[in-house]
Amino acid sequence: MQTQSRLRTTRITPNENKSFAIGTVLMVDDWYERLGLHEIIGRHKRKGIDLDALVRGMLAYKLGDNFSVLRAGEWMSSPAVLDHYGLEPFNSRALYRAVELLGQQRERIVLELQDAILGLCDLPSTDIVLDWTSLAYYGDEPRLAKYGYSRDHQPGERQLTLGVAQLAPPHNIPVGMTVEAGNVNDSDHFRRTYRQVRKVLMEGSLLVFDKGANAKVNLVAIEEDGHDYLTSKKLNKCDDKVFQAFDPRRWQLIDAEEGTYAFVHKFPSRVNYYFFSSKLKEDHEASLGRLAERKLEEAKTIQRSLDSGKGLPKRFCLRNPLVDVSYEYQTKLTRMNEAAALRFLVEKLRTGREGYFCLTSNRDMPPAEALARYRAKDAVEKLFHSLKSELRVRPIRVWSEDAVYGVLLLSFIAQLMVCLTRLTVEPARTVATKFIASSLEKLTVTVVATEDGWKRRFYSNFDPMNEAILTTFMGESRVSALENEGETACS
């Protein structure tokens, strides 16, 4: 099938020929209109450069190169992009001011976005999955820049924590975003995220989250609002007794392929779902083996230092002029070989919980359903991966608190648009963000100025994905509008 290009003519002053990627620009423009972002965002700035145009440009840039606000300004300064957004040349500081303005109005924007999402989607229920992560922060804002537990694999950097609430599968649409300092734990951060999404929840909605946010005050708040929760339980000695009594003849087999068994213990106010998985046990045993090998290497390093009479490596020592330390190291390696040492380490590291875990909920449901609903929480982890690796939101490099909120809000809205596209366009249903964005980036418009004062736009480089996106939901408004303005098609 021969790819067709689109030709549009409008009366303007002649200009030199220009080409730029148009796919993400058109997608952002369409969702900006459908979500009513002109009212949600545009009304926060009445004078000066059009705020809607600046935000649309930054959203399109985030789904493309997405290096920085400064680089977004350079991209938007090209004549073809300026012409598309109806802008005059501007200083990149206007983008920084726009980002800070978004940060100042973040709570109102997110709440109004929730109304827009609920208006677009006919939802029979609003079950929510929640999760939290950390982002390295290269700034000096004192309230947000804190050292804490890093899930961004950069423990030496100050960080902030990001919380996201997302509609449970099959919708997978983000509806909430909160930002806290880098040393705020999930249990405390939960309350902020939950308050933000309360109005989205219907009576009896189910909230799914990890055990980091499993605190009594959080569970009580959910129940008092008439909702249900499903979370991973923090294990104790009573749970160990249940695990020790595991009997495949008494536990229910719910997944023969992975060897998963379930046991249900009902209480007056909650239900505990105990699980054992042969596959999970294999994974835990493999992890124990790797940890034992690392411990063995540490012991070998210490033993070599003792045999040579040298000082221990710095990581094993306390070096503080104000602290007097007297210590003596002795390893067991002189009394056993390497294989025996590994067996000894694995046995010492084993907890007896390998392959076991427990979920708890105030809703009584079949254990297979509880497990499936909890595993669906991975959808938020995939969203975090998309934000960090595909939209490249990390590390945060802006220098004011409002700008931090604004940059993250832009990334949140860009990801929301991708999720809505994935929900609306069948070929994109299971496609990762980077492949959707890559396909849209291929779609190119070439602007040709003619001698008689007309400008022609040639759209080219269609592929099955970007063509499906254009024709499935953008065709209703964008394509028809172009045709009404005199656009024709040519090979």
Side-chain angles (χ1 to χ4, degrees), residues 304-320:
R304 285 194 294 267
S305 298
L306 295 175
D307 294 341
S308 63
K310 295 180 179 179
L312 294 178
K314 184 177 181 180
R315 67 178 182 275
F316 298 114
C317 303
L318 175 63
R319 298 180 181 274
N320 188 325

Side-chain angles (χ1 to χ4, degrees), residues 49 69 127 215 452:
I49 302 175
V69 176
D127 293 343
D452 57 359

Side-chain angles (χ1 to χ4, degrees), residues 9 33 164 214 326:
T9 59
E33 179 181 344
V164 169
N214 182 357
S326 176

